[in-house]
Structures are given as C-alpha cells and as structure tokens.
Amino acid sequence: MANTSGRVIGVNGNMVSVEFDSAISKNEVGYILLGDVKLKGEVIKINKNVASLQVFEMTEGISVGDSVEFSDEMLSVELGPGLLQQIYDGLQNPLPELASQCGFFLQRGVYLDPIPNLDWEFTPSVKVGDLLRPADTFGTVPEGLFTHEIMLPFSFADVDWKVTSIKEKGTYNVREEIATVEDPKGNKRNLTMVFTWPVKRAIKTYEERLRPDETLVTKIRIIDTFLPVAKGGTYCTPGPFGAGKTVLQHMTSRNADVDIVIIAACGERAGEVVEVLKEFPELTDPKTGRSLMERTIIICNTSSMPVASREASVYTAVTIAEYYRQMGLDILLLADSTSRWAQAMREMSGRLEEIPGEEAFPAYLESRISEFYERAGKVRLKDGRIGSVTIGGTVSPAGGNFEEPVTQATLKVVGAFHGLSRERSDARKYPAIDPLGSWSKYVGIIAANKVEYARSILFRGSEVNQMMKVVGEEGTSIADYVVYQKSELIDTCYLQQNSFDPVDSSIPIERQRHVFDLMFTVLAAKYDLESKKEVRSFFNTLRQKFLDWNNVEFKGERFSQLEGEIKKLYKGKFVQFDHVAEKLM
Amino acid sequence: MMQKVYSKIESIVGNVITVRAEGVSNGDLAIVTTSQGTSYANVIKLDHDLVSLQIFSGGQGVSTGDQIRFLGVPMRVSYSDNLMGRVFDGTGKPRDKGPSLTENMVDIGGPAVNPAMRIVPRNMIRTGIPMIDVFNTLVESQKLPIFSVSGEPYNQLLARIAMQAEVDLIILGGMGLKYDDFLYFKDTLEASGAMSRTIMFVHTASDPTVECILVPDMALAVAEKFALDGKKVLVLLTDMTNFADSLKEMAITMDQVPSNRGYPGDLYSALASRYEKAVDFEGAGSLTILAVTTMPGDDVTHPVPDNTGYITEGQYYLKGGRIEPFGSLSRLKQQVNKDTRDDHRALMDGMIKLFASYKESVEKKSMGFMMTEWDEKLLKYGALFEEKLMDLSVNIPLEQALDLGWEILAECFEPNETGLKSDLILNRWPKKSVD
C-alpha cells in the first residue's frame, strides 16, 4: 500500500499545514522532506484536505511546496530488551549515540534506532503449536537484573495466534526473526524481540486493575510516615523555583523500593540531567548491590530542545513503564516537570488558534493531565502476577501560586500531594514539603491514628506559634508552649532529613518505625516542667539527642546508647500520658 | 540564489508586513527598501503564498509599494577575531566607526547542545567581588540572572564584572539600554582597557523593537563559536526584561493569545533556549551567562523573573546597592568551593549564619527591645561585614577576602561564639595583634 504524500502550504512556528491527497489519520507521523533531511512531525488536526503537522524540530528553512511523506503509523516507541540504562530524547532517540554521530549539538532530522542492535541469549518458553494472545510471553532474555520477557506484540488482534515456528535457545540479534505465528484465518506474522506501540494509547493487556494498597517506600521519613505514596498510585510535587523539587526527585529515584525507575526530564535544566548521568553509574543500588544505572531509564527533553517532542516525552516514558509492568515489575516514573509539558500543549494550542481557557492553557488541559496520571496503576496480569506503574510528577506553578490551572488540574487526579513551600526552603528545612497543607490518600508504614495524633500536634504547634507572634512568649501558657516545642521537635528531628548525610539520607522502614515509636512516646507524655525556660532547655536537649541519633548507624552501639539517653531524659520529667495518646499505644 | 524583488505588500500591522511571494523559506532574511532606506526583515510565517515578515527597523513609514528582496539565507552574524573591541547593533551593523564585517557568517539561534555531551561544571570564575567569589561563587557554564529593582546599580555591577572577571572574552548584549548607560559601558571599558577583550551588541531604548529580540541570539551565537574555539567566554546581558517585553510586543502584533500579563505562552521556552546556551565544552572553551532581569515593582512572581528562576542555576539579588546574601544563590557553588581553600565552605556558612542573627538583632533593636551583650557584638559584626565585604566597590581576590572574613570575626567574637569547627579556628583564627 502506497503511503499518502502531501505538500506544505503554510508554516507557523513549529506548526506546518500540509495539503494531502488520500487518507491520513490523526496522530499519524509525517516527514517533511527538506533536501536530504527528513523532519518528523505528528498530525494533530485534520480539516478537509489540510492536515496540521506538529513538527518535532525547528522549522527554519521549510518552504511552501516542500513534499511531505506520511508514514501510516502513529507516533510510537520501540519496545524490547536493551531499554534499560538508555538515555533517550522525547522521541526515543538515544542521545549518547547521537552525540557520537553528530558531536556537541543536536542535529535535526537524525533519527537512530532506539533499541541498540545487540545480541541476546534467548530462551523460548513455548513450542510449535502453542496458542498465544497479545502480551503472552513466548521467550525470555536476561537483561541485567531482570528476566526480560519477549511477548506477542500488544497491537496484534486479540485472537489465538498459533506458534508455527520458534528458534531454539541461543544467541540472536534483537531484530532477527525468532518465531512465526499464525492467526485463525491463516495470516502469518514474523516475530523479533522488538515491536512498537503508539505512545498516546495506554497498554491494557492485563486482567484487572487493583487498588494501590501497598506503600512505596522512599526512605524519606516525611513521605513514608506522613504523606505516603503507594505502588501503582500517583502523586505530585508542586513548588516554587529553588524549593528543591528536583533534589527531592533525585533522592526518590535513588532510594525508591521499586524494580525500575524512569526519569522523564521534561523541559527542565540540562545541567540537572547531567548530574544524574554522571552520578548514577557511580552509585550502588542498596537493594541489588549493582549500579543504580542498571535499573534506570532516562528520557531527557530539556528546556532548549524542541517543544513538540517535550510534549511527546512524558508519553514515551509512561509507555516504556507500562511495557515493563507487563513483566510483573514495579516501575516508578518521575516526571520533572509536568508544567513544562502543559506549556508545550499551550504553545501548540495557540498555534492551532484554539479558544484558550484559563491562562491561555487549552480547554482540554485537565482531561490530558488526568489521562496521563490514569496510566499509573497496580494491575493483576493474565498469569496472576502483579505489576505496577507509579507516577510522581513535579509541578512548577507560576509565581509559586498553587491556584494556577496545572496544579489544580493535577490535584484532582493524584492520590498524594507533596506541596513544597518557599518558607520552609528559605529556612533550609529540607525536604521542604509543607506538612500541614500536604495530604495523601494512601496507607503509610505506621498506624494511621498515631500519625494523625502527631499531625494534630503539628497543627496545634503552628497555631501556638502564630499566636506567640502576636502576644509574645510572655502571653503564652506553659501548656501551649510545650505543644509548640513538641511540634518543633517533630519538625526538626523527624520531618527534616539531611540528604547529604550518609546515614540520614535514606531511612529504611524498620528504623522509621523504631524512631517514630520513641518519638510518639515523647510526644504523648505530659511533663513536670515549671517555667518556659525549663521547657526550652528540656526540649533543646531532647532535640540535640534526637538529631545525633538520626546520624548514627541503626542498631549500632552508639545508637542504643543515645536511645537510652533519650529515654532517661524524658522519664526524668515524665508525669503521665495524654489519655488520647494512651489509647493509641 | 533567488533575488526576485516583490513589491506588493498586502498588509502592515505594527512591525509585521505580509507580502505575496513564492519559494520563500521559513526564517529567511529579506531586505526591505523604503523611502527612509533599507532594513532587514525575516520570515516568521508562511500561509500559501502569503509571507509574513518582521521588519527589523519597524513598520513606521513602510509603504505598500515598497520593495522586498529575499536573500534565501537565515539571519547570520560574522565571526572572527576582528570582532574584538567592536560595537554592533542588533542586526550586526557597526555602531562604532569601524568597518562592517561580512566574512565567515554563522547562523544565529542554532541547535541545542546534546545533554549527553555536557559535563559537570568544575571551574570557578573569579570576579574579585567577595559577595560573589566567597558566598555565591560563579562557575564556568553557569547561567545566572541578576534580579534587581529598576534604579539599582546593576549596569555598574556588570561593568565591574566585565573589567575584573578572569575570562578570555566578554560579550555584552544590551537590550533597551538607555543611551547614557551604553556610553557608560563604553567609556568604562575603554578606560580600564577591558574593551580590547570585549564585543558589544547593543540595542538602545530608542532603537526598533525587533532588533532587541535579536541581541541575545547574536551575542550567544558569537560566544558559542568562541567557546568552541577554546575561549572562556562570559556573556553579560542587560536587561532580559526588555527582551521579554519585546517578545510580548511582537506576539500581540501577531495576534497570539497572551498567557500571563500579556506575555506569550512560549516565554519560558524563549528564555530557556537562550539561557541553555551556557555550556562547558569538553576539550574546548566554555560559555557563562550573567543576565540582568529587572523585576517590575520588586515582584519576583512577575512572569519574567519567575520563568527565569525556573531556568537559571540560582540568582543574585541586587538590593540597596549590594548583593543580598539571603535571596542570592549559586546552585553550582558546591561544585567548586570545596577545592578553593579548606576554610572556604565553613567560613561561608558560618559568616552567613552570624549575619542572619545580626539581622534578627537589628529587627529587635528597631522594635525597641533591650540589646544584650551578644546583640551588641552582632551589630558590630554586621556593620563591618556590610562595609568591608558587601560593598560593591570592594575588589580583592578570594583568598584575601577569606582572610578578611577571619579578621572581622576575630574583631567581634570569641572563637567559640562563631560556631566554626575547632581545628579550623586553630589554623585560621588571627593571632591577637598588639595594638
């Protein structure tokens, strides 16, 4: 079948109008022929015989009359072994290979094979005559830490495909034919280890979606204890510039208890990606003892790269995440920042002369954001295994104001909200997540009612603090002052965490539970303290001990010693437990 | 090359004209000949045979019968050592009395650097200004704005950096510069002898808007070439808010839907594509950007400083004629300040903490609270700090600034009051001099 062709009739920024002759479909990929360079674009609007092509490259030099070739394929990614450790741009172009070919700069119109042409040790798991459905596994290859399953392409019709031939165990190239299958009508298809899938369509070849009920441990205390994230859940991290969104995401990507982390650096600083690129190969994954890079994929479309592929980059990332989920793995996708993605949509929308919504964002902003986050999920596969995709997105609200459309649209669909505050980051209280304004709907690692009790102290402490600003310390009762000191104690010694300290930077669940228990006991107690001076000095000492405790090795000699000192200290002034707290103990 | 002349202008709106022409490419340059002379224009939109061009010298006085000649090439700038010491306008025409340069033309607004080719920044740029060198070190390949209220001496600061910074080459891009300020830069740099290593692209406030938009691209294209040739280049831009305002003006002329306060929806991308030109080329030179961004109404949430803050690697706050230690931040300083001198980091942190306490004491004092002995010490320290280190006229090398820091501490405090580690104090605390 001959592919449709067309010719350019207009150029406006990276939106090119193309007149075409026969049938084309929306989201089909087209190439503008510019001499011997082909510029990739995606059809995003069709009006009579004119298609609007969103071009993923700079459009300088395009003239009216240039020919356009349509590919008859939607914008897709290649899926197969070799994805791990790769660094791609938003269109799945491998950046290091591109660099070795083109040097320092990104050359437009150069598209390389996303999946490296490697040989893999293939082990078949079916035999001739077996029946397969889409996403059924017919063989495996070892890919680093994982057994990569070679599946029947998801795009095949959902009928029984009979295996008509399959290669024996052995080493084959990733693009070599390894099996043939036949559908009930006798249509034959050849299979390799690689297939493609359109990025904007969710992969749904699973049995059912489950409720995200298992905590995804990040080893960050304020998150795991107070604002947990769940495997298969979604969360967002909005914050003004300089509040530490990216540092927090990097911390999460290092420590998260998942199999694979996909980092989508979408429209942010290139320098930050470089830090990950140089740092990750050096760091060891505490879970496997191997390099962190082995479980990482980076999709990198930084702010100076073309805007249209920025829009595509988050979809590329989530599609790869869904692919690995089909192997029963837990994947965490970190998107930094979804605001830049939304802005890319806004630019497109403006060029299409659509009627703008709030702050000129398109009217479909909300539905696109929810569509994206809804691609997260914990699923039961057809063979009963469980896999999950968790999505965490940062949001960069204009002026740090959470009332803006992207933050608001995101808050409607996510399960946890980690709002970063300028106030906390200015005071160097990191991670600068605002403990009072943020929320989570997921279950954490510590009993909810105990956490609630601790939170209530935080709330009351903040109230007392507000009041003290008006009436001064003199006008505050001792009881209130104690509440204030308790809230400061949780804040300094539990909510804040030093990401540069070798011990404090990642706290496993067991230690979090252990520390929280003692912290809870301290909070629940009423003390015999006469004056504010005494209160202050008592809590200062406690705080110092807790801080020292945080920085020593878990269950080491010094750890138990400090624990003993803390217990002795609080028992010295202990009167009784608060009766509300006592019931929870 | 196509040299056909078109003389049927269909519309003139603001600085944008449309003309019916064929075989024209997006981004192409054209020459418009009007009764007042000639001007460059470039193609910004194609719709069938209707071509939209923005005229660099503005639409004023353009007649529907004027002639347009398409050159078949995009906007370019000459690149050679002959640029040194020269002053150009936004289109690359000489502003001084020197000859116009046409050799070795390079495209402006070229492609982005492949992120996989970037390296972790590693070299500091010494400026002789303690508030930068000691407290918020400037690093090669960094992009930093100077956030400032109008009226602050930001151009004086830039001129000082241009004279003192240890780099091979300074490229100054002026946008919407007052003519006086332009002369100030020129005279100051000439008097100090720094002009011979400087190239200026200047758009003054009375020049046409479109030229303002070209200035950063011209400056950065030249800078990038010099960096690839192994030079350590520092690009100084002033003022990016004028640049953004010109973008706004063009966008509104083109009937684009505005997003925030009239600015176009692609403001972030437009700023980022310029700032991200900052880079350290492995095996070659580097490009560092310092750009003044005036904040209308001292409002950091205004779209221009706000978008800038998300793009750049920190910021310098200029307030009351000084670089403010609290709002200012160099995100890359920790990449270099570990290798300068062993006391650099600790002294930096310690002095800033004490300065924060000084601010609290000042507040207490202004509210009429009793001053303790400790408060008095802090007040003395704060005054010395502001006078000896914060003043912009101070010009001393980093090492001397660190020594001065110790002296100030010793003059005001006992060693154990500083919160600095004992071994550092042992090594660095100045011996009491005999008066």
Side-chain angles (χ1 to χ4, degrees):
Chain A
M1 171 174 81
N3 285 343
T4 309
S5 61
R7 58 182 278 276
V8 173
I9 58 163
V11 184
N12 179 11
N14 61 349
M15 192 64 65
V16 173
S17 309
V18 180
E19 207 173 56
F20 59 94
D21 44 25
S22 57
I24 62 167
S25 53
K26 191 168 171 279
N27 299 100
E28 182 169 340
V29 169
Y31 294 93
I32 298 167
L33 309 180
L34 203 66
D36 48 4
V37 178
K38 285 176 158 192
L39 303 183
K40 198 174 187 174
E42 180 189 6
V43 176
I44 54 171
K45 190 171 114 181
I46 303 170
N47 191 4
K48 291 181 189 155
N49 66 334
V50 176
S52 297
L53 202 63
Q54 155 179 314
V55 181
F56 297 117
E57 310 274 2
M58 299 210 289
T59 54
E60 273 68 26
I62 298 180
S63 315
V64 169
D66 285 347
S67 349
V68 178
E69 255 174 24
F70 289 96
S71 66
D72 200 29
E73 274 172 3
M74 304 237 276
L75 184 65
S76 303
V77 287
E78 269 194 354
L79 301 169
L83 286 167
L84 288 175
Q85 303 198 44
Q86 290 290 330
I87 301 149
Y88 291 121
D89 76 358
L91 299 175
Q92 216 194 1
N93 245 327
L95 288 170
E97 281 74 20
L98 211 59
S100 57
Q101 201 165 326
C102 310
F104 282 123
F105 297 97
L106 294 166
Q107 204 172 308
R108 69 175 176 174
V110 181
Y111 308 112
L112 303 175
D113 280 339
I115 300 221
N117 255 317
L118 298 175
D119 293 343
W120 296 91
E121 176 78 30
F122 175 74
T123 312
S125 59
V126 295
K127 54 189 187 305
V128 172
D130 282 357
L131 296 177
L132 293 170
R133 289 271 178 145
D136 282 351
T137 303
F138 61 88
T140 58
V141 302
E143 183 187 13
L145 306 160
F146 308 101
T147 303
H148 191 115
E149 296 176 11
I150 309 298
M151 297 174 266
L152 193 71
F154 308 151
S155 55
F156 278 24
D158 194 14
V159 293
D160 287 324
W161 293 78
K162 193 161 79 186
V163 179
T164 47
S165 77
I166 186 151
K167 289 267 168 68
E168 284 174 17
K169 185 178 165 79
T171 306
Y172 304 97
N173 184 276
V174 73
R175 290 191 170 77
E176 196 178 329
E177 181 200 304
I178 43 169
T180 53
V181 290
E182 189 183 274
D183 74 0
K185 289 178 190 153
N187 296 318
K188 280 191 195 285
R189 299 289 284 269
N190 299 334
L191 302 176
T192 67
M193 296 182 206
V194 178
F195 61 90
T196 63
W197 178 260
V199 292
K200 290 188 181 162
R201 193 183 291 167
I203 296 170
K204 289 191 170 161
T205 45
Y206 47 77
E207 194 61 40
E208 62 170 335
R209 247 182 96 159
L210 306 171
R211 235 162 49 87
D213 50 7
E214 188 190 341
T215 313
L216 189 160
V217 178
T218 62
K219 297 189 184 167
I220 300 170
R221 284 188 294 253
I222 183 170
I223 295 180
D224 295 346
T225 304
F226 285 88
L227 301 159
V229 177
K231 282 183 180 166
T234 52
Y235 71 101
C236 72
T237 320
F241 66 81
K245 290 185 293 295
T246 308
V247 175
L248 185 61
Q249 276 215 336
H250 286 184
M251 226 167 130
T252 316
S253 62
R254 280 200 288 268
N255 296 323
D257 172 33
V258 289
D259 298 307
I260 293 170
V261 176
I262 301 181
I263 300 174
C266 168
E268 289 286 306
R269 304 177 183 94
E272 287 165 354
V273 184
V274 177
E275 278 173 33
V276 177
L277 295 186
K278 308 285 164 182
E279 207 176 55
F280 273 35
E282 313 289 319
L283 294 171
T284 34
D285 178 4
K287 207 166 123 186
T288 58
R290 307 272 285 266
S291 154
L292 256 185
M293 203 59 203
E294 290 191 26
R295 66 161 202 178
T296 310
I297 302 171
I298 298 171
I299 312 289
C300 159
N301 213 97
T302 56
S303 57
S304 59
M305 291 159 78
V307 174
S309 47
R310 188 197 299 169
E311 200 246 347
S313 65
V314 297
Y315 294 110
T316 301
V318 76
T319 309
I320 295 174
E322 287 172 333
Y323 172 67
Y324 278 100
R325 180 181 67 191
Q326 287 300 129
M327 299 171 203
L329 299 173
D330 293 321
I331 293 93
L332 173 63
L333 166 61
L334 296 168
D336 184 17
S337 135
T338 58
S339 292
R340 305 299 163 222
W341 166 61
Q343 285 178 346
M345 278 194 267
R346 174 165 76 182
E347 286 184 34
M348 297 295 105
S349 164
R351 298 233 161 76
L352 287 171
E353 290 170 7
E354 293 170 342
I355 296 171
E358 208 181 334
E359 289 186 20
F361 282 107
Y364 45 79
L365 175 75
E366 285 195 16
S367 57
R368 289 285 166 84
I369 289 179
S370 36
E371 256 169 37
F372 169 66
Y373 279 102
E374 274 299 302
R375 288 178 75 166
K378 178 174 169 180
V379 301
R380 192 155 55 79
L381 302 172
K382 286 173 182 158
D383 59 7
R385 285 179 306 167
I386 308 284
S388 73
V389 171
T390 311
I391 300 182
T394 66
V395 186
S396 319
N401 175 9
F402 293 172
E403 304 298 308
E404 57 91 46
V406 182
T407 315
Q408 287 306 314
T410 309
L411 283 181
K412 281 186 193 170
V413 291
V414 294
F417 162 54
H418 300 159
L420 301 186
S421 95
R422 163 86 74 213
E423 220 181 354
R424 286 181 74 81
S425 72
D426 277 352
R428 303 282 182 268
K429 294 178 177 173
Y430 292 116
I433 301 174
D434 173 15
L436 303 177
S438 305
W439 47 260
S440 166
K441 293 173 182 165
Y442 301 120
V443 286
I445 55 163
I446 283 164
N449 46 14
K450 280 191 175 179
V451 173
E452 207 33 61
Y453 182 81
R455 256 171 91 93
S456 74
I457 291 180
L458 279 172
F459 270 107
R460 276 163 53 214
S462 143
E463 279 168 18
V464 173
N465 190 20
Q466 291 300 323
M467 207 169 63
M468 275 202 300
K469 281 184 184 152
V470 183
V471 298
E473 221 177 271
E474 312 85 75
T476 312
S477 70
I478 290 197
D480 278 352
Y481 193 66
V482 168
V483 171
Y484 165 70
Q485 286 290 354
K486 281 180 176 172
S487 76
E488 284 291 296
L489 184 73
I490 317 176
D491 193 343
T492 326
C493 308
Y494 203 86
L495 301 185
Q496 292 171 43
Q497 194 168 338
N498 185 352
S499 64
F500 296 103
D501 185 275
V503 175
D504 203 31
S505 59
S506 65
I507 303 297
I509 314 181
E510 200 193 349
R511 179 165 181 163
Q512 285 192 39
R513 288 194 175 125
H514 189 93
V515 173
F516 187 85
D517 266 354
L518 183 56
M519 176 69 84
F520 186 81
T521 323
V522 170
L523 296 176
K526 289 183 173 170
Y527 300 100
D528 172 31
L529 298 162
E530 298 286 322
S531 67
K532 277 175 205 141
K533 196 176 167 198
E534 208 184 331
V535 174
R536 190 162 49 229
S537 118
F538 173 71
F539 279 99
N540 275 347
T541 330
L542 255 182
R543 182 165 62 228
Q544 198 57 47
K545 295 266 183 248
F546 261 108
L547 283 178
D548 291 344
W549 202 35
N550 279 342
N551 291 328
V552 299
E553 203 190 323
F554 186 43
K555 300 233 161 127
E557 195 184 324
R558 181 85 182 116
F559 185 88
S560 331
Q561 193 187 344
L562 279 162
E563 183 172 357
E565 285 174 29
I566 293 171
K567 282 183 175 159
K568 197 174 146 208
L569 199 66
Y570 102 90
K571 278 179 188 150
K573 294 286 177 189
F574 177 80
V575 181
Q576 63 178 87
F577 283 117
D578 175 36
H579 62 273
V580 180
E582 203 169 9
K583 281 185 207 146
L584 304 173
M585 289 167 113
Chain B
M1 187 184 289
M2 182 185 53
Q3 287 287 8
K4 200 173 160 191
V5 176
Y6 293 89
S7 60
K8 179 92 187 73
I9 296 178
E10 298 264 327
S11 75
I12 308 171
V13 180
N15 302 319
V16 178
I17 59 168
T18 56
V19 62
R20 292 207 184 270
E22 272 168 10
V24 177
S25 298
N26 191 29
D28 272 4
L29 205 59
I31 292 182
V32 183
T33 311
T34 71
S35 54
Q36 290 123 43
T38 60
S39 166
Y40 282 120
N42 69 342
V43 177
I44 51 175
K45 189 175 166 185
L46 296 170
D47 183 9
H48 292 86
D49 60 344
L50 206 58
V51 179
S52 304
L53 297 128
Q54 56 179 4
I55 306 184
F56 295 172
S57 66
Q60 223 169 37
V62 176
S63 140
T64 49
D66 284 344
Q67 293 188 335
I68 294 131
R69 188 159 53 91
F70 289 95
L71 301 179
V73 290
M75 185 65 194
R76 288 177 175 180
V77 61
S78 168
Y79 157 68
S80 73
D81 282 346
N82 295 338
L83 268 71
M84 296 278 198
R86 300 287 311 271
V87 185
F88 304 92
D89 71 2
T91 63
K93 279 193 219 138
R95 258 206 127 91
D96 49 13
K97 298 199 171 62
S100 63
L101 299 175
T102 50
E103 82 241 305
N104 198 11
M105 300 296 272
V106 295
D107 289 2
I108 66 165
V113 170
N114 187 332
M117 289 299 280
R118 286 181 181 262
I119 50 174
V120 178
R122 54 198 168 170
N123 299 318
M124 101 175 248
I125 294 182
R126 289 166 176 265
T127 63
I129 300 170
M131 289 314 290
I132 295 179
D133 291 358
V134 178
F135 297 100
N136 280 298
T137 320
L138 181 63
V139 180
E140 261 186 64
S141 85
Q142 190 163 24
K143 39 192 179 290
L144 269 180
I146 299 171
F147 286 164
S148 164
V149 189
S150 46
E152 290 287 340
Y154 47 85
N155 284 332
Q156 280 77 351
L157 174 62
L158 276 194
R160 186 163 277 282
I161 292 170
M163 289 185 289
Q164 294 171 198
E166 290 182 9
V167 291
D168 301 325
L169 183 65
I170 301 277
I171 298 186
L172 184 99
M175 290 152 282
L177 217 53
K178 277 196 307 231
Y179 209 86
D180 302 355
D181 284 339
F182 163 51
L183 291 177
Y184 168 79
F185 272 117
K186 209 163 138 260
D187 296 345
T188 317
L189 293 179
E190 270 167 5
S192 71
M195 195 63 200
S196 60
R197 58 157 195 174
T198 305
I199 303 168
M200 288 168 77
F201 290 91
V202 174
H203 164 266
T204 65
S206 59
D207 296 336
T209 314
V210 184
E211 290 185 13
C212 182
I213 299 176
L214 292 170
V215 166
D217 288 336
M218 299 288 272
L220 291 165
V222 170
E224 192 169 83
K225 282 287 168 190
F226 275 109
L228 283 169
D229 278 351
K231 293 276 196 299
K232 209 192 228 192
V233 188
L234 175 61
V235 178
L236 305 172
L237 300 170
T238 171
D239 154 2
M240 287 302 273
T241 307
N242 290 338
F243 166 75
D245 287 341
S246 301
L247 286 178
K248 173 166 80 175
E249 193 181 321
M250 286 309 301
I252 301 281
T253 311
M254 293 292 291
D255 291 332
Q256 282 181 24
V257 182
S259 58
N260 262 352
R261 298 210 213 171
Y263 289 94
D266 64 355
L267 179 65
Y268 174 84
S269 303
L271 289 170
S273 65
R274 273 88 190 183
Y275 279 113
E276 285 280 330
K277 287 275 171 201
V279 65
D280 194 345
F281 291 113
E282 177 97 73
S286 67
L287 198 170
T288 311
I289 302 178
L290 261 182
V292 169
T293 301
T294 50
M295 299 182 290
D298 200 8
D299 176 12
V300 76
T301 67
H302 181 277
V304 180
D306 185 51
N307 277 296
T308 303
Y310 281 115
I311 295 164
T312 53
E313 290 148 341
Q315 65 274 328
Y316 293 144
Y317 263 99
L318 197 60
K319 213 168 192 176
R322 297 184 177 121
I323 296 178
E324 181 70 25
F326 300 118
S328 300
L329 167 73
S330 162
R331 287 175 191 248
L332 302 183
K333 65 176 176 227
Q334 59 275 12
Q335 309 278 8
V336 295
N337 63 10
K338 58 182 184 296
D339 308 318
T340 45
R341 209 168 88 173
D342 62 339
D343 57 333
H344 187 167
R345 272 191 187 174
L347 190 68
M348 170 185 86
D349 286 337
M351 289 191 78
I352 288 293
K353 272 186 196 147
L354 287 167
F355 193 73
S357 310
Y358 153 71
K359 286 277 179 189
E360 280 169 23
S361 296
V362 169
E363 203 171 309
K364 264 169 80 181
K365 193 177 177 187
S366 67
M367 286 166 76
F369 284 101
M370 286 276 284
M371 291 285 98
T372 61
E373 191 193 345
W374 174 239
D375 286 322
E376 295 295 349
K377 281 185 172 186
L378 286 169
L379 289 175
K380 182 180 173 194
Y381 165 77
L384 277 175
F385 187 99
E386 288 180 346
E387 180 200 327
K388 294 197 167 172
L389 289 173
M390 278 176 82
D391 198 292
L392 283 186
S393 63
V394 178
N395 174 17
I396 45 174
L398 170 73
E399 289 71 19
Q400 214 175 315
L402 292 174
D403 291 342
L404 184 60
W406 284 109
E407 275 165 37
I408 295 175
L409 289 178
E411 208 172 321
C412 307
F413 304 108
E414 294 302 317
N416 63 5
E417 290 172 334
T418 59
L420 288 161
K421 275 199 264 170
S422 322
D423 50 338
L424 269 180
I425 288 176
L426 203 66
N427 287 330
R428 299 279 181 189
W429 196 262
K431 306 282 173 289
K432 269 270 189 295
S433 57
V434 189
D435 292 302

